[in-house]
Amino acid sequence: MSLRPALAVLASLAWASAGLGAEPCPGGRDLVLRNGQILTVDARDREARSLRIRGSRIIAIDAAMPRGERCVDVIDLGGRTVIPGLIDNHTHFIRTAQAAGPFVEGLESADSIAALQAAFATAARRAEPGEWITAIGGFTHKQFREKRLPTRQELTAAVPDHPVYIQIGYSTRGLVNDEGRRVLKAAGIETTDGGDVATDGKGLTYVLRSTNESRMRRRFPDYMRYATSLGLTSVVDHACCDWLGAHLVPEERPTTAIAEDLWRKGQLLLRLRIQYDHRDTRDQADVHSATARIANTTRGLGDDMYRVVRFGEQTIPASAPDAEILAVYQRLARAGWAVSQHTIKHDEIERYLRLMEQVNTQTPIRDLRWTLEHAFEITPDQIARLKAIGVGVRVQDHDYIRNTNSSWNPGPPYRTLLESGIQIGAGSDSAVVGALNPWLGFWFMTTGKDAGGDLLLPAQQISRKAALRLYTAQNAWFNFEENDLGSIEVGKLADLVVLDKPFYSCTDEELKNMRPMLTMVGGRVVHGRGTFGKLVR
């Protein structure tokens, strides 16, 4: 940032701070952000220079501010870009927020073994004695210059006094440091000389069982702060389920209890949107489970910060016969519920598409905003059939960290989907399958390149403008929140992000490494750095 914008920001912030509480203001003080490049992502993709916020909502855009007006605080953006708050349409946020050990920040964007070591060492300084330091998914060996995972010795050098466990994704081998190897051996779980842990899930299960409610409550705010530091203001979560490959009993699996307690206390930093996943054995694994949920749950239950929005990504286990899945779909359609369905391979897509087509013959689903998730191997014919019945596609970028266990063709076909005119939104499937960091997703969507810089999706790249819409307005639409979120417009909730680099003109590498200066949720600054740090409340 140049000296002139920096001084402008400092001057306006000092002025605002001096004005706070100087005179009583009925209804509170307004906040004006001016001298910015504001990408509204409205229907016409207009750009603005200023906006005004009162309470939690935007009340004016590019409106003149009367000279000498009281009860107004002003922030001079110094030409910075402002975008709507980012909405991730598919996460396992709550589960990751409650994983074992302090959150390891910076791992997703680490570009070397040394950077990984630094991230682990920083996390270890926040750990209790004997607490595990873990990283379960959300990264890949391809992102490091060395194109490999760290060795046992390198993990030990970074964290000598705590057990460390890392695992690239679901059902893959684990890797531990010396202390982790010692702890597992004492528990009767063998590792190799190199620190490898078998893929039978015993090591992962032991590590996950090492946490407790106190530790989870300590980790949860850290994960929220990390998310908002990236510009995320809303995430859709599946409110379930076991870590694939682990062997936890139902009572040990993650629940929404801590998230709901934080919500009741007004301590959520971002908006949580819940969709009920019914693969979990806490529920009956058949048609009666969803039937009971339909009868006892209110659509849209909650408020602006925490709300139930749909069923998915599994309404019933995939092992169920088609007749049971169809029965669940029909009951959900008749009850007016939105549905999202996990699909990756062509045959999966065909199976659930055919069932949705059958439902549509009895109960039109166009207005229910049903979706397929992932859809990596979707074909133009399948896209056309989905569009015909009003089913959209919510895609995720987890092939950015594609690993050797990925058995599908690389995807999703962003450009083909976008050009078809079907309703489409974008997300991460974080944090085991994908990385939560949305800027890695923007890189993947706009360059087609994976974490190692290899071109994975030739001819499927989309523009930055399109990618931004998929992460904002389109995801708000899928959540039935297009009147409140997803764009910067008068009357909408003031969810917005001030970027540290110009969105349209920065290089691809700069886009990938974007680090927002400020994130606001409903008019409240939940993240700020540099000169914006003093605004956080």
Side-chain angles (χ1 to χ4, degrees), residues 482-536:
E482 66 270 27
N483 293 327
D484 288 313
L485 299 172
S487 60
I488 297 174
E489 299 183 72
V490 172
K492 290 196 172 184
L493 290 164
D495 287 15
L496 53 88
V497 184
V498 179
L499 304 181
D500 66 335
K501 293 177 279 288
F503 181 73
Y504 287 133
S505 60
C506 68
T507 67
D508 289 337
E509 284 294 328
E510 287 174 329
L511 180 70
K512 183 179 181 181
N513 293 295
M514 190 78 75
R515 294 295 178 269
M517 300 296 296
L518 177 147
T519 302
M520 181 180 292
V521 176
R524 173 191 175 194
V525 178
V526 295
H527 161 74
R529 65 185 184 90
T531 54
F532 296 101
K534 64 183 69 176
L535 297 175
V536 177

Side-chain angles (χ1 to χ4, degrees), residues 88-91 313 343 372-376 393-400 411-412 414 425-430 444:
D88 192 327
N89 67 22
H90 186 122
T91 73
E313 66 187 287
T343 57
L372 295 187
E373 303 290 296
H374 318 314
F376 284 10
V393 178
R394 298 195 307 181
V395 293
Q396 290 76 42
D397 57 38
H398 52 74
D399 263 3
Y400 169 79
Y414 290 107
S428 66
D429 203 1
S430 59
F444 187 57

Side-chain angles (χ1 to χ4, degrees), residues 116-433:
L116 175 148
Q117 289 175 306
F120 272 89
T122 299
R125 287 194 285 272
R126 302 195 308 273
E128 298 174 357
E131 187 174 9
W132 282 87
I133 314 299
T134 67
I136 306 166
F139 68 103
T140 173
H141 66 284
K142 293 185 68 176
Q143 73 191 60
F144 307 126
R145 283 194 290 271
E146 297 85 351
K147 303 301 180 187
R148 63 173 176 82
L149 291 177
T151 64
R152 173 174 62 83
Q153 292 81 6
E154 287 168 333
L155 288 178
T156 300
V159 184
D161 300 325
H162 287 270
V164 172
Y165 180 94
I166 70 172
Q167 181 175 312
I168 283 186
Y170 285 133
S171 302
T172 60
R173 70 182 177 93
L175 179 65
V176 292
N177 67 347
D178 286 354
E179 181 63 7
R181 191 177 184 217
R182 184 193 67 77
V183 173
L184 289 184
K185 183 176 181 180
I189 301 171
E190 293 299 325
T191 64
T192 68
D193 289 343
D196 289 351
V197 183
T199 60
D200 58 10
K202 292 180 180 178
L204 175 61
T205 302
Y206 182 88
V207 171
L208 292 173
R209 283 176 174 160
S210 72
T211 193
N212 55 46
E213 182 173 337
S214 174
R215 288 173 173 176
M216 289 188 289
R217 285 185 177 275
R218 178 163 48 87
R219 177 183 167 109
F220 208 117
D222 287 344
Y223 197 50
M224 288 193 294
R225 281 189 287 269
Y226 174 65
T228 58
S229 78
L230 300 171
L232 287 167
T233 56
S234 299
V235 296
V236 179
D237 187 85
H238 297 287
C240 81
C241 34
D242 202 0
W243 300 79
L244 294 186
H247 309 296
L248 301 178
V249 299
E251 293 74 21
E252 296 173 320
R253 294 172 190 163
T255 72
T256 60
I258 292 176
E260 290 171 359
D261 184 57
L262 293 170
W263 164 54
R264 292 187 185 98
K265 293 176 178 176
Q267 295 174 355
L268 288 180
L269 299 181
L270 76 173
R271 306 183 193 279
L272 285 176
R273 299 296 179 254
I274 302 300
Q275 55 186 42
Y276 290 125
D277 192 306
H278 276 246
R279 82 186 75 182
D280 201 321
T281 54
R282 280 184 307 215
D283 292 315
Q284 302 172 58
D286 61 20
V287 67
H288 303 295
S289 174
T291 302
R293 179 86 77 179
I294 293 167
N296 292 285
T297 302
T298 302
R299 284 185 293 114
L301 187 66
D303 62 12
D304 288 339
M305 293 304 295
Y306 187 94
R307 178 175 294 144
V308 175
V309 293
R310 63 178 57 229
F311 271 68
E313 66 187 287
Q314 299 281 7
T315 58
I316 185 171
S319 57
D322 284 4
E324 283 195 1
I325 297 174
L326 179 61
V328 170
Y329 278 178
Q330 289 172 330
R331 294 177 190 191
L332 287 165
R334 288 195 295 267
W337 277 91
V339 169
S340 291
Q341 178 60 58
H342 168 99
T343 57
I344 292 183
K345 295 187 176 183
H346 176 272
D347 290 348
E348 283 181 297
I349 297 168
E350 187 63 29
R351 179 193 189 194
Y352 293 109
L353 169 55
R354 176 172 47 80
L355 292 172
M356 289 180 178
E357 287 173 328
Q358 292 179 54
V359 173
N360 191 64
T361 63
Q362 301 295 321
T363 305
I365 57 179
R366 178 172 299 278
D367 294 334
L368 302 183
R369 305 186 186 182
W370 286 25
T371 74
L372 295 187
E373 303 290 296
H374 318 314
F376 284 10
E377 294 185 355
I378 197 167
T379 64
D381 171 69
Q382 290 171 330
I383 295 171
R385 288 162 58 198
L386 287 169
K387 187 178 177 183
I389 61 174
V391 176
V393 178
R394 298 195 307 181
V395 293
Q396 290 76 42
D397 57 38
H398 52 74
D399 263 3
Y400 169 79
I401 58 170
R402 184 180 177 89
N403 62 49
T404 55
N405 284 0
S406 301
S407 59
W408 52 84
N409 295 321
Y414 290 107
R415 183 180 296 180
T416 298
L417 286 162
L418 197 63
E419 291 178 350
S420 74
I422 197 171
Q423 292 285 359
I424 175 178
S428 66
D429 203 1
S430 59
V432 176
V433 178

